[in-house]
Amino acid sequence: MTLKGAGKTETAEQPQQEIPRFGPSVKARMQNLRKILENSFIADLEHHAEIRSTNDRAIECGALADVNLPFLIIADRQTAGRGRGSNRWWTGPGSLAFSLLVGPETVGAAAASTCGPRRSGLVGLAVGVAVVDALAPLVPGHEIGIHWPNDVILDRRKLAGVLIEVLPDGKHVIGIGVNTNNTAADAPEEVRRRVVTLRDMTGREHDSTEILLAILRELQRQLGELVRSPERVTERTHELCLQRGKRLEIVQGERRIEGRCLGIAADGALLLEVEGNPQSVYSGVVTQP
Ligand code: BTN
């Protein structure tokens, strides 16, 4: 277990908003990290007060010979958090950002050679379901679900994002960002209206360690399901898909596909009705026409 940058973030002269909210002190943080290690399926972890991106760090760790998998990297603050495509991810103070490095067998890929984009697409769906199942009990009475491929949406705004990356040897990096105790009021102008946080929605602070543990528990369940019967994961994603019945436009490079969303197919594809015919979409960026 490694704790990085704790001294830096504990100094008295730090301005108020810079104090990380993951734990109030080094001792409390150590206790939280130990609790995560003892109560989840991860084998080891690393905590950073500040880092560029937990996914970047997970990719680095993936190249090390002696890393214990599943390996968790948590950060209080990311200075260059990454989203899908060329998007950036806003990690406001109090938000939860972490990456999990797992072996191919954990995501149901027998060997590196079976780790194609279709498999990582399925992993992304399983992760989306896990995050929804972990967070739904915290927001009773609100609409929570998934926008394909794996955005977690609460009352029409983005609560959490998932970035899956596959290493050449088949290890997967599962990066998750959850808007927990941050506030949309601190977000950059261009994202403010599109995001929602648990704190803004419920009017109270949430225990980041408990949220992380709940997500890890659901992740273990959904990744296990993916190994045993992937169609149960895609069925659940179909149920949770909030785009069903809506008109969507998918951009794939130069190509645009427009149609009515029919949901998620058994093989994980987004199903669109295009000119009366069902069409499967496996990749692309969704834009609302
Ligand atoms: C998206 O919605 O576009 C994906 C966002 C993923 C953000 C998380 S935060 C932890 C991990 N580290 C990163 O740099 N990105 C992911």
Side-chain angles (χ1 to χ4, degrees):
M1 182 165 92
T2 322
L3 187 71
K4 301 210 170 158
K8 182 178 160 208
T9 54
E10 294 305 320
T11 51
E13 63 277 7
Q14 289 273 320
Q16 190 67 28
Q17 69 271 25
E18 289 294 316
I19 295 173
R21 298 187 192 187
F22 189 74
S25 66
V26 171
K27 190 174 167 203
R29 191 177 291 146
M30 291 294 283
Q31 281 167 352
N32 286 339
L33 296 177
R34 189 153 294 124
K35 191 169 173 187
I36 293 161
L37 257 187
E38 286 167 1
N39 294 286
S40 74
F41 74 126
I42 63 163
D44 206 353
L45 60 74
E46 196 177 87
H47 170 269
H48 297 259
E50 183 177 297
I51 197 170
R52 278 179 58 77
S53 151
T54 56
N55 263 43
D56 288 354
R57 176 66 186 150
I59 291 169
E60 265 172 35
C61 292
L64 305 174
D66 58 350
V67 65
N68 291 324
L69 303 180
F71 187 68
L72 177 69
I73 295 135
I74 319 169
D76 293 338
R77 195 168 121 78
Q78 296 185 114
T79 53
R82 293 189 286 112
R84 287 193 308 275
S86 55
N87 294 340
R88 296 194 58 172
W89 179 255
W90 167 66
T91 315
S95 71
L96 181 61
F98 63 94
S99 299
L100 193 62
L101 177 68
V102 297
E105 67 293 341
T106 303
V107 296
S113 58
T114 57
C115 294
R118 292 263 173 106
R119 170 57 46 181
S120 60
L122 284 172
V123 176
L125 299 187
V127 176
V129 171
V131 176
V132 170
D133 285 351
L135 301 181
L138 301 175
V139 284
H142 293 275
E143 182 189 62
I144 185 165
I146 292 173
H147 276 187
W148 183 87
N150 46 31
D151 288 343
V152 175
I153 304 295
L154 175 64
D155 288 354
R156 298 181 187 193
R157 281 174 295 163
K158 187 153 166 174
L159 179 64
V162 174
L163 177 63
I164 309 291
E165 296 183 288
V166 186
L167 309 190
D169 64 358
K171 289 193 193 87
H172 279 56
V173 175
I174 299 171
I176 302 178
V178 185
N179 293 316
T180 47
N181 292 320
N182 45 337
T183 171
D186 290 343
E189 173 86 52
E190 65 277 14
V191 292
R192 201 169 299 154
R193 269 189 297 277
R194 290 187 283 118
V195 299
V196 63
T197 80
L198 287 175
R199 178 178 148 206
D200 287 345
M201 187 55 88
T202 62
R204 67 178 176 93
E205 294 258 334
H206 292 262
D207 185 328
S208 302
T209 304
E210 290 305 326
I211 293 177
L212 178 53
L213 277 170
I215 294 176
L216 291 173
R217 218 168 19 244
E218 294 302 333
L219 264 181
Q220 186 179 16
R221 194 198 312 272
Q222 290 304 327
L223 293 177
E225 203 76 288
L226 188 62
V227 174
R228 287 185 301 273
S229 45
E231 64 289 348
R232 287 181 65 165
V233 172
T234 53
E235 242 170 60
R236 275 283 286 141
T237 316
H238 175 76
E239 284 164 17
L240 292 172
C241 177
L242 298 171
Q243 293 147 311
R244 276 181 288 152
K246 303 214 165 103
R247 288 203 74 75
L248 299 179
E249 183 189 60
I250 313 294
V251 178
Q252 292 177 330
E254 296 292 290
R255 192 167 167 233
R256 282 167 194 273
I257 311 165
E258 200 189 313
R260 191 171 65 90
C261 177
L262 301 173
I264 306 298
D267 68 353
L270 173 73
L271 273 182
L272 289 185
E273 185 187 61
V274 183
E275 292 164 6
N277 300 310
Q279 189 169 325
S280 294
V281 176
Y282 293 93
S283 64
V285 177
V286 180
T287 62
Q288 235 79 30

